[in-house]
Amino acid sequence: MSNRLNTTPNDLRAFWMPFTANRQFKKEPRLFVGAKDMHYTTHDGREVLDATAGLWCVNAGHCRPKITEAIREQAGELDYAPAFQLGHPKAFELANRLVDIAPDGLNHVLYTNSGSESVDTALKVALAYHRVKGNGSRFRLIGRERGYHGVNFGGISVGGIVANRKMFGTLLTGVDHMPHTHQPGKNAFTRGEPEHGGDLASELERIVILHDASTIAAVIVEPVAGSTGVLIPPKGYLQKLRDICTKHGILLIFDEVITGFGRMGTPFAAQYYGVTPDIMTTAKGLTNGVIPMGAVLVSSEIHDAFMSGPEHMIEFFHGYTYSGNPIAAAAGLATLETYKEEGLFDRARDMAPYWEDGLHSLKDLPNVIDIRNIGMIGAIELDPIAGEPTKRAFSAFLKAYENGLLIRTTGDIIAMSPPLIAEKHHIDEIFGKLREILKSNI
Ligand SMILES: Cc1ncc(COP(=O)(O)O)c(C=O)c1O
């Protein structure tokens, strides 16, 4: 038995924590010192039920033996191999296994170390693709309001969250944004895909008319926007975006960093919606969140366009020291095997109706102004306290943590995405605890 309580640090000042209210945290620290399957263990020895798969990433649950063992073994066998002009077998094997579960036509893989890097890689591939095809005038990138594509400069430029953008100067130039699709006035308390708003995709046509298609390289969207509070695409919306992109020779990028690896009951959201992008970004669930790794999948058409010129020349000037790192690749392979052996994507599909019913049973609680869900994703939107936005949801987060439940909040929205191993009794516990919390006067 490890002596967990002794792992509590006595000075929290040095670490400037990411996306965290640092001063609040350091007054009332919340530290995890262990995890197994559906639960975390806190520094004060309590069990916390994980309703968020860590940060949308631990899809197979915590400390799964196959993944742990693969990492241990790989660390002792081949710790690092240079990523440029050299390779190692597992990076190739993992790429093949990814292509096996990807939408048809996405046949090539570039590795990264995070979702943010996947996004910036995808944007660079799109720009460079048009250039190698002789269409260098296609330099514009189109994102969407309320989109989250990580925190690097490309990602925040196409992203649509003002707090993530406003501090950082001019960002990338040549970027425009489509409107978001969230219409609570028309779609509140919808189960699954909203009826209203599919026509918002035609805003892309308006942008194309404004800039001319010959200047536009790519459109990037999250199939389901997660970080701004679970915005589910209205019926027909993604297909319409696909059609407009195809018509105008614009590449469509799906940012599947949270929707990938079974979250929707299919390997990727592209398959759930039956809409195939030209480029797809992934990370998080690729290694079950255990080791940083991302992957960008691209069509053969894009890949092949680069394969010209003298054979001794580098075809694409991009990559990371840790692209396809051996330990990450081993973790990725063991993760995909775990998903497959345990049928976790099908499990998510089968559990989704139970999840939906539990979530919508909270409809009549005080301050609940919308509930939405798709696959194993759910959100509860709360009425903000007048003059104190985000406080109501943050109080719910703190109360949940005290009561042994991990939820995530963004603005005044509670977002949840449990590990795909969740049993019905875990789902009952999540919504039972939330009911008590929302009933109390937060
Ligand atoms: C859709 C999407 N893209 C990109 C990212 C960034 O991923 P990372 O934090 O690994 O850089 C996230 C993170 O939540 C995300 O949800």
Side-chain angles (χ1 to χ4, degrees):
M1 181 77 188
S2 65
N3 191 358
R4 283 180 173 156
L5 296 183
N6 285 349
T7 61
T8 309
N10 59 15
D11 186 348
L12 306 181
R13 279 175 299 181
F15 178 20
W16 188 353
M17 298 170 69
F19 279 119
T20 295
N22 275 257
R23 289 158 301 160
Q24 191 281 340
F25 180 96
K26 287 168 191 183
K27 276 191 198 139
E28 287 173 48
R30 299 173 290 279
L31 301 173
F32 290 136
V33 297
K36 186 70 195 135
D37 299 331
M38 285 295 296
H39 291 90
Y40 280 109
T41 308
T42 63
H43 67 286
D44 48 358
R46 293 180 307 112
E47 296 268 281
V48 173
L49 176 60
D50 182 1
T52 61
L55 254 182
W56 307 87
C57 46
V58 187
N59 290 4
H62 294 275
C63 291
R64 300 308 311 277
K66 189 159 213 158
I67 305 169
T68 311
E69 202 39 49
I71 293 168
R72 275 206 188 104
E73 253 180 46
Q74 188 62 43
E77 184 183 299
L78 173 68
D79 51 355
Y80 177 79
F84 306 160
Q85 305 284 18
L86 293 154
H88 67 92
K90 289 202 174 74
F92 293 91
E93 198 183 330
L94 178 60
N96 290 329
R97 297 294 78 78
L98 279 171
V99 166
D100 288 345
I101 60 166
D104 285 347
L106 297 184
N107 292 330
H108 297 277
V109 176
L110 299 106
Y111 289 115
T112 71
N113 308 291
S114 66
S116 300
E117 287 180 0
S118 289
V119 166
D120 277 37
T121 298
L123 298 176
K124 287 174 75 177
V125 168
L127 291 170
Y129 164 75
H130 288 296
R131 191 169 156 127
V132 298
K133 293 283 280 185
N135 297 322
S137 67
R138 288 190 182 261
F139 63 88
R140 285 187 202 283
L141 299 166
I142 312 298
R144 191 168 58 180
E145 295 164 359
R146 292 187 73 159
Y148 182 66
H149 300 293
V151 293
N152 290 346
F153 270 102
I156 60 172
S157 301
V158 291
I161 304 179
V162 66
N164 293 1
R165 293 163 52 87
K166 69 180 180 191
M167 299 294 188
F168 308 110
T170 54
L171 312 182
L172 283 189
T173 55
V175 172
D176 209 339
H177 291 80
M178 302 180 288
H180 65 74
T181 60
H182 191 40
Q183 299 191 313
K186 291 181 179 164
N187 290 322
F189 299 104
T190 297
R191 289 169 174 246
E193 291 171 78
E195 281 305 324
H196 303 281
D199 47 336
L200 283 166
S202 50
E203 287 292 309
L204 178 56
E205 282 282 14
R206 191 184 54 75
I207 291 173
V208 170
I209 290 167
L210 177 67
H211 297 296
D212 197 75
S214 66
T215 71
I216 303 177
V219 168
I220 181 167
V221 291
E222 303 155 88
V224 176
S227 297
T228 51
V230 183
L231 313 183
I232 296 157
K235 283 187 180 151
Y237 176 86
L238 292 173
Q239 184 59 53
K240 200 160 182 191
L241 279 190
R242 174 68 277 179
D243 294 344
I244 298 169
C245 287
T246 304
K247 178 170 138 199
H248 294 291
I250 298 167
L251 297 177
L252 179 61
I253 305 172
F254 275 179
D255 184 349
E256 294 238 22
V257 166
I258 62 157
T259 47
F261 305 104
R263 182 57 53 204
M264 315 277 296
T266 48
F268 299 97
Q271 290 129 331
Y272 183 92
Y273 290 109
V275 178
T276 304
D278 303 290
I279 304 178
M280 197 169 76
T281 59
T282 72
K284 297 201 189 246
L286 169 56
T287 57
N288 206 34
V290 177
I291 299 269
M293 185 181 224
V296 179
L297 286 92
V298 306
S299 68
S300 296
E301 190 183 333
I302 293 174
H303 167 267
D304 294 351
F306 288 86
M307 299 301 137
S308 62
E311 279 197 7
H312 71 281
M313 289 293 294
I314 291 167
E315 293 104 357
F316 182 44
F317 284 82
H318 178 78
Y320 303 96
T321 298
Y322 304 114
S323 292
N325 170 279
I327 298 175
L333 282 167
T335 298
L336 295 190
E337 276 165 30
T338 302
Y339 292 150
K340 193 169 169 185
E341 279 169 12
E342 300 183 10
L344 289 184
F345 301 170
D346 289 346
R347 195 170 196 284
R349 184 199 57 212
D350 296 344
M351 196 59 94
Y354 194 80
W355 170 255
E356 176 179 288
D357 284 344
L359 187 71
H360 283 269
S361 73
L362 305 179
K363 179 173 178 174
D364 298 321
L365 292 174
N367 304 310
V368 172
I369 58 172
D370 187 16
I371 294 181
R372 35 192 191 265
N373 67 286
I374 195 103
M376 289 300 284
I377 304 176
I380 303 167
E381 183 148 1
L382 303 176
D383 201 9
I385 298 170
E388 292 182 300
T390 75
K391 198 167 176 194
R392 193 183 310 274
F394 191 56
S395 310
F397 164 77
L398 293 176
K399 276 209 167 159
Y401 179 79
E402 279 164 26
N403 285 291
L405 176 67
L406 181 66
I407 58 172
R408 178 154 174 72
T409 66
T410 166
D412 272 296
I413 301 163
I414 295 170
M416 285 168 293
S417 53
L420 308 180
I421 56 167
E423 302 280 357
K424 286 186 176 167
H425 70 87
H426 294 123
I427 293 174
D428 295 344
E429 189 181 333
I430 292 169
F431 296 125
K433 284 193 160 146
L434 266 179
R435 169 167 288 282
E436 291 313 307
I437 290 159
L438 294 173
K439 261 192 342 204
S440 66
N441 209 9
I442 51 163

